[in-house]
Amino acid sequence: MLSTTFRRSRNWDPWGELNRLPLEMNRIFSGLSDAVRTGGSSFPAMNVLSREDRLVITAELPGVDVDDLDITINGDVVTLTGKRPEDDLQEGEKYHRRERNSGSFSRTLQLPFEVDSTKTEAEYDRGVLTVVLHKPEEHKPKKISVKRAS
């Protein structure tokens, strides 16, 4: 009789595990390619919301001073750059765990169309940056009236 450390689970399927391997490898490497494309990290986390006449980008930037932020718009590309300050460690202190990065960062997003950069608005409140990008007239929805047939 096998000891408990070597017993197989009744539900364990070695072929199922082999079939899962390529899926897991793709998941791992897709995350790696995201990190390479974004300069090594996905900081800051960003959402892009499309509304009828504008796009709204929100970015989580805890601990970042508004004076350390720059937003650049070039056609359909928005780039957010900035700097998050280094934590000051006292003598004898060291990190037990460190998940919050510091230093310079940059995120670039390609938008679905060019925006009117002259109407762009940005606001920073409680660690969240909100950027409102207005759609040019040619990308705004247009209401078409339907005529009755005579």
Side-chain angles (χ1 to χ4, degrees), residues 65-132:
D65 190 294
V66 71
D67 294 331
D68 292 330
L69 292 174
D70 286 312
I71 303 165
T72 306
I73 301 170
N74 188 4
D76 64 346
V77 176
V78 175
T79 302
L80 174 63
T81 56
K83 182 175 58 173
R84 195 157 54 171
E86 185 81 31
D87 292 334
D88 291 328
L89 293 177
Q90 303 298 320
E91 187 175 329
E93 290 181 329
K94 64 180 179 178
Y95 286 104
H96 174 69
R97 181 181 197 108
R98 185 172 184 184
E99 296 179 358
R100 295 182 62 231
N101 294 328
S102 58
S104 297
F105 61 86
S106 180
R107 285 287 307 267
T108 298
L109 298 176
Q110 181 154 13
L111 304 174
F113 45 78
E114 290 189 17
V115 294
D116 185 352
S117 60
T118 62
K119 296 181 181 177
T120 301
E121 306 159 21
E123 183 178 288
Y124 186 66
D125 184 35
R126 297 181 309 181
V128 177
L129 175 68
T130 303
V131 181
V132 179

Side-chain angles (χ1 to χ4, degrees), residues 29-76:
F29 286 112
S30 72
L32 181 62
S33 66
D34 287 344
V36 170
R37 274 196 313 272
T38 59
S41 72
S42 293
F43 181 82
M46 301 173 95
N47 290 339
V48 180
L49 174 69
S50 180
R51 295 193 175 148
E52 191 171 295
D53 61 341
R54 64 190 179 271
L55 291 173
V56 179
I57 299 173
T58 54
E60 295 178 357
L61 296 160
V64 176
D65 190 294
V66 71
D67 294 331
D68 292 330
L69 292 174
D70 286 312
I71 303 165
T72 306
I73 301 170
N74 188 4
D76 64 346

